Amino acid sequence: MKHYLSIHDLPSIKDTVKEAIEIKKNPLKDQTLGKDKTIGLLFFNNSLRTRLSTQKAALNLGMEPIVMNFGSEGWQLEFEDGTIMDQGKSEHVKEAAEVISQYCDIIAIRAFAGLEDKEKDEAEEVLSAFVKYATVPILNMESSVGHPLQALADAITIEEHRPAKKKLKVVLSWAPHPRALPHAVGNSFAEMALAHEDDFEVVITHPKGYELNPERTKGATIEYDQKKAFEGADFIYTKNWSSYNDYGKVANTDKSWTITADKMAVTDNAKFMHCLPVRRNVIVADEVIDSENSIVIKQANNRTYSAQVVLKKILENLK
Ligand code: AN0
Ligand code: CP
């Protein structure tokens, strides 16, 4: 594997999940694979899990991680071609990406959707500029449209907690949030779940007007009645996102969409999942996130093995 930009870059999601579960049993087994290799983690946005678990994964593989926060420490980068750079931006991504490539064997990038210009976000302005101008592999740590390291961790977590059933009902539920959030996590989760077509029945539930990009949810059942969607579910995966059609707008903060125990009661003893960070008693009631069925902490632990299996594949390709 050269880059990891989307979940579809994995040769097989199922085999990768199995490999990650093996790595988890003995995470220091490949300590020599990344020896003398450096990974640069570039953050254009905040992070707790991604920042720490990706470094942890790199360390498990014997790599040296270096981290830079562009929000507060880097020069403001220009991404457009041919601009007269006499305003706020100090450096063009063309130079920055090539320079960083000389210091790092892999570049990992977090750059959220701006949620103002749909076309720009869909074109993955930041991520694709690095793919274009860097000379080393690129790892997506949440871009405008996807969070494939999260989706892989989610797939690992579902595999570890799945009941013995042929077909699982996996529900992605929108929940309210006061701020406009990106679509990346919802998109990648849907894509990952839909790639398990033999295994998962995929239902997405949200208020009308909160449809994700239909290209990423093809094959899923869209159900506007949240409680109906929850009936018989095995996994409830919750996430807020802003409107996609009325791009980046928050039209609904309806608390009736918060995940509560009475909604979980109609599921088939479903596990509760969320990528975190989560706003308690807005997205999910304490009674649910603190219940035995909540697997959010285990899910966050799997971020290490998700990053590690991906880095392993990239390193093996570098040799
Ligand atoms: C981000 C998002 O919704 O994309 C990161 C989630 C991993 N969440 C927030 O900004 C709260
Ligand atoms: N789930 C996730 O990506 O968390 P962070 O934003 O804290 O990295």
Side-chain angles (χ1 to χ4, degrees), residues 189-197 200 202 204 216-220:
F189 182 80
E191 288 175 301
M192 176 280 288
L194 288 162
H196 288 75
E197 54 188 342
F200 298 178
V202 182
I204 306 179
R216 298 179 196 283
T217 58
K218 227 176 270 167

Side-chain angles (χ1 to χ4, degrees), residues 110 112 142 147 177 181-182 185 239-240 275-277:
R110 163 161 285 201
F112 290 174
E142 187 173 334
H147 195 357
H177 192 281
L181 295 189
V185 171
K239 183 70 184 83
N240 171 269
C275 65
L276 307 181

Side-chain angles (χ1 to χ4, degrees), residues 164-185:
K165 268 191 195 176
K166 238 185 142 172
K167 195 134 188 170
L168 301 179
K169 183 171 179 184
V170 175
V171 179
L172 168 61
S173 178
W174 181 94
H177 192 281
R179 291 183 41 224
L181 295 189
H183 309 98
V185 171

Side-chain angles (χ1 to χ4, degrees), residues 208-233:
K208 285 208 169 110
Y210 275 87
E211 291 74 13
L212 288 164
N213 181 346
E215 280 173 37
R216 298 179 196 283
T217 58
K218 227 176 270 167
T221 303
I222 310 295
E223 173 57 69
Y224 297 112
D225 180 339
Q226 192 189 31
K227 210 152 185 176
K228 201 166 155 211
F230 278 36
E231 280 169 12

Side-chain angles (χ1 to χ4, degrees), residues 234-267:
D234 298 295
F235 290 89
I236 300 294
Y237 192 98
T238 313
K239 183 70 184 83
N240 171 269
W241 56 84
S242 54
S243 173
Y244 181 73
N245 289 324
D246 190 8
Y247 196 65
K249 297 289 179 304
V250 177
N252 188 333
T253 51
D254 186 353
K255 289 281 178 58
S256 74
W257 280 78
T258 301
I259 313 304
T260 54
D262 66 312
K263 289 178 197 168
M264 292 300 287
V266 306
T267 67

